[in-house]
Structures are given as C-alpha cells and as structure tokens.
Amino acid sequence: MSVSKKKHTEPLLRVVKYEGMSRSRRWLVRLIAVLASLIVSGILIVLLAGINPIKVYGTMIRASFGSSRLVWNLLRDTSTLLLLGVGLAPAFAMRFWNIGAEGQMLVGGIATAFCMKYFTGMPTFLLIIVMVLASLIAGALWGLLPGIFKAFWNTNETLFTLMMNYIAIQFTAFMVAQWEVGVGNNTVGVINPDGHEGWLPGLFTSAFNKDYGINVLLVLAVTVAMFIYLRYSKHGYEISVIGDSVNTARYAGINVKKVYIRTMVLSGAVCGLAGFLAVSGVSHSISTSTAGGRGFTAIIVAWLAKFNTFSMIAIAALLCFLDQGALEIASSCNVNTYVSKIITGVILFFLLAGEFFTMYRIKVRGKH
Amino acid sequence: MSMEAAVEMRGITKSFGTVMANDHIDITLRKGEILALLGENGSGKTTLVNILSGIYYPDEGRVFIDGRETVISSPTDAYAAGIGMIHQHFKLVDVFTAAENIVLGYNEAGRKFNLKETSERIRSIAARYGFEIDPDKKIYDMSVSEKQTVEIIKALYRGARILILDEPTAVLTPQETDKLFDIMRNMKNDGRSIIIITHKLAEVMEISDRVALLRGGKCVDVLETSMTDSVQLASLMVGRSVSLEINRPAVVGPQDRLVLSGLTYIDRDGVKRLDDVSFTARSGEILGIAGVAGSGQKELLDAVAGLIPLDSGSVTYLPHSGGTIKLNGLDPRQIRKLGISISFVPEDRLGMGLVGDMGMTDNMMLRTFDEGKGFFVRRNEPRKLADKIKDELDVATPGINFPVRRLSGGNVQKVLVGREIAASPAVLMLAYAVRGLDINTSHVIYDLLTQQKMKGTAVIYVGEDLDVLMSLCDRIVVLVGGQVSGVVDARTTSKEEIGLLMTSYEKRGDLGSERQ
C-alpha cells in the first residue's frame, strides 16, 4: 500500500495484554520458564562456582528425595508453609494485605509452648487439643487487632500487620528469656525431653520425628476446608464481594466491618495453628526463629497460587524443595551458601516472569 | 470554510487483540470546519482521535497535516503538529490556578516562566473567542464548565489549530452547551478546525458542518450536515432503520409510594450534598431526576437505598396495603428484611452494582445470598435466574459463569437491570441507566422501565439527556446543588424551563455566601 516507510518511531517492543490463554498453553509457558531457569542458573553455576550444573541439580533432587527421612522433611516443611499460605488466603481474597503471618505464627507457637510447659499433668490427647485451641486463639487475637483498626478507622493493614510481627518477635524473645534453660543460655531448649508431654506423635510410628503424617493430614484438612469455605459458604461469598469492591459490598447490604474482623480472626487463627505445628510437631521448642521468615514466604505462596488453596500445595512444595536443595548444594558441592541462594533466586525469578507471560505478550514493531 | 484539508487520515487501522477498533478509516478534516464524529460506543471514535493526538500508534495508515505526512507517536508530537485534544475527563491539577495549569509542562523555547504575562495571554485568547475565565482562580473552586474552559484554552495557548473535543457537552447544562457552541463557532471563523465527538444527534445537527459516521471500526459515511436529518443519522449509526420514539403510556391510578421529606446530608468534607430535598414518588409513574452532574443525584439515591446516613429528614415508604414505614436509619439489609423491595441500579455498574470478577450466576445472588438458613450459599435459583435473564434480555456472554467485567457495557447493564427488575420491586431507582449504551440497548432499557411503570412500580430515573427525560418520564424533579429547584410535568415542560431550573442555584449559592 504505502510505498515509502521512511520514519519508524513506533517503539520496537510493546507489551500487550493477552486474555483468554488456554489452560494447556499456560502450563506450556510455565514449563518453558522452568527449563529456561535451569539453563540460566546452570550457566551461572559454571561461571560462579566452576562446577557441573548437572551434578548440582542431581544434588538438589537427592536433597529432597534421597531417603524417606528427606521426603518426610520435605513434607513437614511444605505442610507448615502451606498452612501459612492457606491462612493468608481469606484475608488476601478480601484484598486485606495481611503480612503478619510471621507474628501470628509466633504467638501461636508461644501459646503452644506455654501449654506444653505448664499443663504437663493432662493426658496427651487432651493436652494436644488444648494446645491447638490455644494456638488458634493466640493467632486470632493477633489478627483481630489489625482487623478492628481497619474496620473502624481504616488504618493501613499492611503497616499494622507488619509492625505486629516485630511485637511478636520481641514478645517471643521475652518469653525465651523467661523460660531459658541454663542461666544466660537464652534458649528454651527442648521442652519435656523425657516425658514428651504435648509432642505430636507420628502417624505410622509412635516415635517422634520419624514421620510427619499427622502434620500433613491436619494441613490437608485445613486446606480443603478453607477451599470449601471460600468457594461455597456465605462468608466466602462476602469475602469475594468485598475483595472486588467495598462499595458493591455495602450496596449488597454486607456488613463490611464485621467481615473484616471475622476474616482477620480466621486468618490469624490458621497462621497461629502453624505455630502449633512448628512447636508441638517439629521442634518441641520455641525461639524467635521458630517462624524463620516463613510467614513472609507464605505471601509469595499465596500470590503465586492466586489465592487458590489447592495451587498453594504445589507452590509450597516447590519452595521447600528449592530451599532444602540450596542447603544441600552448599554443603555437599562445597560452594558458599550465597551461590545456592542465587540459584533458587533465579528459578523463582523465571517462574514469576512465566506468570507475566501468561497474561501479557511482547509485540515486536511491524509485526501484527 | 475552504476545501483544503487540515488533517487527512488515510487507511488508519488499529486492533486490540482480536478487536479491530479502526479498520482502514479514511477521514478528512477541512480547514475551518466543525466535523462531528458520530457513532455508538465501541464504534472506534475515541481510538481514532487518540491516534491523532498521539496516545495510540496506528498499526497501519498515514496521517497528513496540512498536506504533509506527519508521524505522531506521542502527545508532544501532536502538540507540535498543532493538534490539541480536550478529553472527557479533565487532566488538571486541582490545587493550581488556571494559568498554572495552562503552562504546566509547556516549555516554550526562548521564553521565561512568567505567570503575569501568561495571564495576559490567557485573557487575550479569552477575549478573542468569548470565553469567561479568571486565570488566577484555583481549579478546585471551578465548576465543571469552567474546568472545560481551562482545558480548551490550554490547547489554544499551545497554538493548537486543530481541536478535538471528546463528548464536551456530557457535563454541561443546556445554557452552558449553547455558550460552548458559540465559542466553537468563533474558533471556526478564526480558521481553526474542530472535531467533536458526540452521540447526541440534536447537537450534531446544530453545530457541525459535516458528520462522519463510524460503525464497527469502519467509516460508513461522511455527510454534509445540512443535507441530512437525525433519523437518517440514527439509522446510519445503528446500521438499520430505528425509531427514536419512546412509548409513553398514560399513568394509571397513581398512589404515593415513597415520600421524601427534608432530606439533608453533609458529607465527610462538610459539604452539604443534599439540602432539604422533598418530593413524592408515585406508583405507576416514572419520575425523572434532572440536574447537572454532581447536583446531589447520587447522594439522593444512596440515601433512599440506606447507604448513607442522613443528617435530617425522613424517607417514608407507603405500602400498597396501607400504613407507613420509615426507612431512614435502616441499611439495605434491614430494608429488605422488612419485606420492602427497593431495587437500585447505581451509576457505577461494575464498582457498585455488580461484582466484576464473578459470572452472572454469582451476581444474581448479590442482594439475596444471605436469605435462607444454613452456612452455604445456594446457587440453584441464581443459576435459573441468570439463564432466564440471558435469554430474555439477549445478553451476549460466552456463559453464565463468565466474568461480567469482560462483557460489553450494554450487556453489563442488561445483567444489572435484569437482576433488579427480577426482584419485583415496589420502587425502582436507576442512575444514568443508559450511559454508554447504544441506541438499541437504550431502548430495551426504556421499554423495561415502561413495563415496570405499567406494573405499578414507582420508577425513579436519574438521567442526563433532557430529550430522553422529557419523552420517557411523567414528572421531572430538577436538582441544583443538592436542592430541589422545581418539579415539572414532563409532558408540558420545555428544555428551556428545565435548563433554567438547572442553573437557578447559582443565585441561591451567592445568597448563601453573602449571609456568611
């Protein structure tokens, strides 16, 4: 048509929104992202550490699947992280950015440790139920406060929940100092090392820390329940409406304040339960690093899964797999831990980029 | 007017994904003419002028300004080529004065920043074309029409010879519209060329020299305005012959249904949004609410629906069976629990009336999901209702669970109106129910409202198009600055009468400030 196309000032690359990509294509994009991440981090491994990337990947896989103990470790960490992600789901679905899972988990852990220390006279079964309830209530209270402030004074929940984390961490430090074993040690040590009161047993053996079947089952049950709650209950419906638009919720006659508070209580309670798992089911101790940043990692889990509790299973497992792999690379390939962290970083980066490409396309100048 | 072209667009094509917004459009704007760009929503008008003003870059096609091929790849390029666009939504800084806004971001070579001189130049531009403007007035003190003036002068100040106005009259009273049209004629006589986007046929006939009709991204015809009429334009716009008549049956046995008395509402910023509003809505009639945008229409409907707390006044519902029920102080759920069905189609369809990410089914139960016992929602009835509305109102959607956010504006409104009517309301309130809808869908909505009226519903219709209000409604309440300035019989009133009522507040407002 046009004979001369002299000047071209159209940008070379443009980002174009692309809706309605088919499900299979979306998974293809993700697969490509994983492959690309392996290639790029492989190059980095060679450049930075000078070792064979295939060997590194092999080590990573062995770190999680090398023995049944390692598989249980993976399941244990995955279930705790998943539980936190599931705890964030209702708040996030409401567009309430609860980034206080770390603190909610810690106070749940403190409540659990308190029961373990002081209610040793109870029968094990009853004690565990009391501990579960205590962790739920502690977490719920930690969620209640920012919920109330948001509902009545519209305070920024992100800052509020974040600050609550630091309070929880300092509170834990205080409790650790109260409970420390050996003066000046500043650690609580293993609680009830002899009687094992309040220790969550294995599912297949009565021994402790052999398998984590109960942890896994408990978390799966909460995951399914949360899915049903969000999708089929009236509460879940209210949460979705508020998440879309507070104005619409008010138009529909939904009591927005009530839902904010109720949902934050629920969110905090589930995160508090993760504290129970960590203390009663895994470490039998409490310290400021009991949550260990997992409350923040859970935000990534919830976002990547787009708040779908079932997708969270895969994401949580992947993150724990990478984490366990990174530790193993550092020790057995004899590289410093930063290299292994770079590798997991690269893999995550590509996965996030892959999500971008399921929604947008890059358009090159002149091509239509 | 000369036959020489100020702008020539040839073969302009632009697609968004699979949608061809502009499909090989050829359009010429002559020097010193007013060209109306007419078309329904989604016909490609805005895309076309956005290409001309540098916001989009066309996939194909060429633009010639004054006969020279010109590449416009940014709004700066557009200004350099003498093109000024006045957007529907003003882009002004509220806390700056008119003069500050006009020079903002304009870096004139060889000139120092001098607000005094700027104000002088603004005054001389204003005098030349008949604008009324105070260069030192802050934007937040200005009425919508004044803000629009600032936008237009901004374009002229930067030397725009080609002006594009995107639906400039939507926010104006009839009197302000007349003033704007006078200014447009002055600019035209001064040799400037103007493109005006509108979908009001009467305005096209009044102001334009020629009219270009867009439909489905194509330019279907360009006509001399003097050689055509509204009926022909409407059928060209829609693609087949349409009737512009609205059927208005007589009111049968009206009963007082909703009595508003002395409604006063002061918002969080201390502004009196409703000021002693009283009127009665009757069953079996359509009561229109007219007024310039922001005169209290939104607050009025919100107050009746129980969404905002009143500072004083009362809303009384008179059931068919007799008796009276006070509604003020109740929230929407409490009103519903009393068995009173007040349906409400709010202005913000996706931000208030519907949940955009949900499908039709889940949207059907928005106002009823908490009915019935049990912890879980029941989706059977909503699903049936969604199917029914989809069939009866011909909603174009891939499925009843497809997110309504991704439906076209007309279909979104059908879903919303369909749901609200399905509740068999005693009172049906609608705010700007046909905004952004094409002629056909608008008439579907008008027919639905008239059906409701005949069923004995009290319909309250907030509208912006006076022609429609006057041919659809039975009575019209005119709001000004939160006050009722008059209630007129829609069958006997005139546009002038309503227009005068729409502006009578300014006097009252002055009185108010004097008293202080």
Side-chain angles (χ1 to χ4, degrees):
Chain A
M1 218 177 66
S2 62
V3 192
S4 62
K5 277 192 176 177
K6 287 170 282 181
K7 274 201 280 180
H8 254 308
T9 41
E10 186 188 352
L12 180 64
L13 298 172
R14 273 186 295 164
V15 177
V16 179
K17 184 134 191 176
Y18 180 49
E19 280 188 69
M21 185 182 264
S22 71
R23 192 170 280 237
S24 55
R25 221 189 135 102
R26 233 176 259 177
W27 281 107
L28 184 70
V29 170
R30 287 180 188 135
L31 187 70
I32 293 170
V34 171
L35 290 177
S37 72
L38 292 179
I39 293 166
V40 171
S41 61
I43 294 169
L44 278 174
I45 291 166
V46 174
L47 288 178
L48 294 175
I51 43 180
N52 181 359
I54 307 287
K55 188 183 151 215
V56 171
Y57 296 145
T59 310
M60 281 182 86
I61 291 170
R62 243 177 298 118
S64 288
F65 299 104
S67 70
S68 73
R69 190 183 60 81
L70 292 173
V71 173
W72 276 121
N73 284 352
L74 178 68
L75 288 174
R76 175 196 69 197
D77 291 348
T78 301
S79 53
T80 310
L81 186 59
L82 173 61
L83 187 58
L84 287 167
V86 169
L88 293 180
F92 281 13
M94 185 170 76
R95 297 289 183 274
F96 186 109
W97 307 121
N98 173 19
I99 57 172
E102 186 90 355
Q104 288 146 16
M105 177 176 175
L106 269 181
V107 294
I110 294 172
T112 308
F114 181 89
C115 299
M116 267 171 107
K117 259 186 113 63
Y118 297 108
F119 300 159
T120 43
M122 279 189 196
T124 305
F125 182 69
L126 191 64
L127 177 57
I128 285 179
I129 292 196
V130 169
M131 282 164 31
V132 166
L133 289 177
S135 68
L136 287 171
I137 291 167
L141 288 175
W142 226 247
L144 172 68
L145 203 57
I148 287 177
F149 272 76
K150 172 82 174 180
F152 288 97
W153 297 286
N154 199 26
T155 45
N156 182 318
E157 73 273 13
T158 321
L159 276 177
F160 205 117
T161 49
L162 180 69
M163 290 308 169
M164 292 290 283
N165 288 335
Y166 299 117
I167 299 175
I169 290 170
Q170 295 309 317
F171 182 52
T172 312
F174 173 76
M175 291 314 288
V176 168
Q178 294 294 306
W179 292 337
E180 69 178 355
V181 175
V183 178
N185 233 345
N186 212 20
T187 57
V188 174
V190 173
I191 302 169
N192 305 338
D194 305 318
H196 304 314
E197 289 92 348
W199 289 30
L200 200 61
L203 180 67
F204 303 105
T205 58
S206 56
F208 301 101
N209 291 31
K210 279 268 187 246
D211 75 74
Y212 297 98
I214 293 186
N215 299 31
V216 172
L217 284 183
L218 180 69
V219 172
L220 281 181
V222 175
T223 306
V224 172
M226 186 62 81
F227 182 82
I228 292 171
Y229 177 79
L230 288 177
R231 185 156 297 190
Y232 298 106
S233 78
K234 290 177 179 174
H235 289 185
Y237 184 79
E238 290 179 327
I239 288 171
S240 316
V241 174
I242 291 178
D244 191 88
S245 157
V246 173
N247 268 337
T248 306
R250 295 185 56 236
Y251 165 85
I254 293 170
N255 186 338
V256 178
K257 289 186 170 93
K258 187 170 122 191
V259 178
Y260 270 146
I261 294 170
R262 183 180 71 204
T263 307
M264 268 313 285
V265 164
L266 176 69
S267 177
V270 175
C271 293
L273 188 64
F276 160 80
L277 273 192
V279 172
S280 166
V282 181
S283 70
H284 317 300
S285 182
I286 178 91
S287 77
T288 49
S289 59
T290 293
R294 285 182 286 186
F296 295 109
T297 313
I299 299 171
I300 305 177
V301 174
W303 262 105
L304 279 182
K306 302 199 176 93
F307 317 143
N308 179 318
T309 53
F310 287 134
S311 314
M312 285 181 198
I313 299 176
I315 312 274
L318 174 77
L319 290 180
C320 291
F321 166 78
L322 289 177
D323 212 36
Q324 218 157 304
L327 281 175
E328 185 60 25
I329 299 167
S331 63
S332 75
C333 300
N334 207 10
V335 293
N336 94 29
T337 48
Y338 298 117
V339 173
S340 55
K341 279 182 181 160
I342 289 172
I343 294 167
T344 57
V346 166
I347 292 173
L348 269 183
F349 176 83
F350 272 87
L351 284 178
L352 287 168
E355 287 308 302
F356 176 83
F357 283 107
T358 60
M359 284 182 291
Y360 297 92
R361 260 185 193 172
I362 300 282
K363 222 171 166 184
V364 182
R365 173 166 72 201
K367 289 189 177 173
H368 303 298
Chain B
M1 195 207 321
S2 69
M3 296 301 278
E4 225 178 305
V7 179
E8 210 184 330
M9 299 179 86
R10 267 198 240 144
I12 298 293
T13 298
K14 177 81 188 170
S15 59
F16 296 104
T18 52
V19 181
M20 285 284 255
N22 283 170
D23 187 359
H24 295 97
I25 292 184
D26 296 306
I27 272 184
T28 304
L29 172 68
R30 294 176 189 158
K31 278 190 178 146
E33 79 162 344
I34 297 177
L35 174 73
L37 216 50
L38 183 66
E40 302 202 296
N41 273 71
S43 60
K45 297 171 299 199
T46 305
T47 305
L48 188 68
V49 294
N50 277 341
I51 286 172
L52 196 53
S53 60
I55 291 170
Y56 295 144
Y57 192 85
D59 297 337
E60 275 176 49
R62 297 197 281 169
V63 178
F64 298 84
I65 310 285
D66 295 331
R68 269 200 316 277
E69 180 161 10
T70 310
V71 175
I72 303 170
S73 61
S74 72
T76 319
D77 288 359
Y79 265 123
I83 299 168
M85 169 124 181
I86 288 89
H87 292 271
Q88 213 174 338
H89 303 283
F90 306 136
K91 299 173 190 319
L92 299 169
V93 182
D94 258 1
V95 294
F96 281 8
T97 63
E100 285 165 346
N101 267 287
I102 286 167
V103 289
L104 185 68
Y106 181 48
N107 198 357
E108 224 175 337
R111 282 177 71 100
K112 289 219 171 93
F113 180 70
N114 180 344
L115 267 181
K116 223 174 198 172
E117 200 190 314
T118 303
S119 296
E120 278 316 304
R121 277 178 72 191
I122 291 169
R123 286 206 182 87
S124 80
I125 291 173
R128 188 157 157 201
Y129 298 109
F131 291 105
E132 285 164 28
I133 188 173
D134 173 5
D136 302 321
K137 196 170 177 183
K138 302 254 198 230
I139 301 297
Y140 60 72
D141 280 332
M142 291 189 174
S143 70
V144 180
S145 142
E146 286 175 290
K147 289 181 194 170
Q148 188 178 60
T149 304
V150 175
E151 284 281 9
I152 298 173
I153 292 183
K154 190 161 99 184
L156 293 172
Y157 188 91
R158 291 163 193 222
R161 287 166 294 115
I162 297 146
L163 285 125
I164 307 165
L165 295 107
D166 189 358
E167 304 223 7
T169 60
V171 292
L172 303 181
T173 63
Q175 282 80 2
E176 287 167 342
T177 303
D178 286 343
K179 225 193 274 174
L180 174 70
F181 283 179
D182 283 340
I183 287 167
M184 285 172 65
R185 287 189 197 98
N186 288 342
M187 294 195 291
K188 170 179 122 177
N189 293 334
D190 197 38
R192 295 175 202 262
S193 318
I194 299 170
I195 296 178
I196 175 173
I197 297 185
T198 179
H199 57 247
K200 292 183 190 162
L201 298 170
E203 290 177 355
V204 173
M205 297 306 299
E206 190 188 335
I207 188 73
S208 70
D209 298 309
R210 288 191 308 146
V211 47
L213 283 134
L214 299 192
R215 192 170 71 223
K218 290 194 171 81
C219 182
V220 288
D221 216 336
V222 180
L223 300 163
E224 296 283 336
T225 309
S226 54
M227 311 286 280
T228 183
D229 56 54
S230 339
V231 176
Q232 189 196 7
L233 289 179
S235 26
L236 279 169
M237 197 160 115
V238 180
R240 71 195 117 80
S241 66
V242 288
S243 152
L244 294 173
E245 294 291 307
I246 299 173
N247 174 32
R248 174 167 57 188
V251 179
V252 187
Q255 285 180 326
D256 288 358
R257 184 63 74 231
L258 196 65
V259 180
L260 311 187
S261 135
L263 298 198
T264 301
Y265 167 67
I266 298 166
D267 72 7
R268 244 187 262 175
D269 300 327
V271 180
K272 216 177 226 189
R273 294 291 175 190
L274 293 177
D275 188 358
D276 196 20
V277 171
S278 305
F279 63 83
T280 301
R282 301 190 198 125
S283 66
E285 75 166 10
I286 300 181
L287 178 69
I289 310 271
V292 187
S295 300
Q297 296 95 325
K298 180 185 186 308
E299 290 79 7
L300 176 64
L301 299 192
D302 282 358
V304 174
L307 295 173
I308 53 173
L310 286 173
D311 287 285
S312 64
S314 67
V315 180
T316 311
Y317 175 75
L318 308 170
H320 186 65
S321 49
T324 62
I325 303 172
K326 283 256 182 289
L327 298 186
N328 38 309
L330 302 181
D331 70 25
R333 198 180 287 208
Q334 289 166 325
I335 294 175
R336 228 180 303 149
K337 289 249 160 78
L338 289 173
I340 300 169
S341 178
I342 295 183
S343 282
F344 181 19
V345 176
E347 176 182 358
D348 188 356
R349 292 160 201 164
L350 285 172
M352 184 161 168
L354 296 168
V355 182
D357 288 337
M358 292 182 180
M360 280 180 74
T361 306
D362 279 12
N363 269 301
M364 286 305 128
M365 59 187 189
L366 184 63
R367 307 244 267 164
T368 50
F369 75 95
D370 58 337
E371 282 171 11
K373 280 191 182 140
F375 186 69
F376 294 103
V377 288
R378 267 163 256 185
R379 286 189 167 86
N380 277 335
E381 289 301 316
R383 202 171 290 133
K384 276 185 214 150
L385 181 58
D387 272 326
K388 192 171 150 233
I389 288 175
K390 181 173 183 279
D391 292 344
E392 284 179 3
L393 297 185
D394 220 2
V395 180
T397 169
I400 55 171
N401 292 320
F402 186 78
V404 293
R405 192 186 297 289
R406 285 164 66 184
L407 302 181
S408 72
N411 287 306
V412 167
Q413 187 66 327
K414 282 178 183 173
V415 173
L416 178 53
V417 173
R419 181 189 72 204
E420 291 305 299
I421 285 178
S424 331
V427 178
L428 171 61
M429 304 190 291
L430 307 98
Y432 308 110
V434 298
R435 182 183 282 172
L437 305 192
D438 58 51
I439 293 184
N440 273 316
T441 317
S442 300
H443 279 261
V444 170
I445 304 279
Y446 301 146
D447 289 345
L448 285 171
L449 298 189
T450 304
Q451 274 172 29
Q452 286 300 305
K453 163 181 156 180
M454 296 323 284
K455 275 188 191 164
T457 306
V459 182
I460 300 176
Y461 177 88
V462 173
E464 48 197 344
D465 188 334
L466 292 185
D467 294 308
V468 170
L469 280 168
M470 285 163 55
S471 51
L472 173 72
C473 302
D474 299 299
R475 286 186 302 145
I476 299 173
V477 171
V478 185
L479 286 182
V480 181
Q483 299 172 326
V484 175
S485 60
V487 182
V488 295
D489 183 340
R491 285 179 175 79
T492 56
T493 188
S494 67
K495 243 177 158 172
E496 289 65 36
E497 186 187 8
I498 298 178
L500 281 175
L501 288 170
M502 277 166 79
T503 46
S504 61
Y505 165 74
E506 281 172 331
K507 286 169 208 133
R508 279 212 239 179
D510 288 346
L511 278 178
S513 55
E514 266 169 33
R515 248 179 277 144
Q516 288 164 4

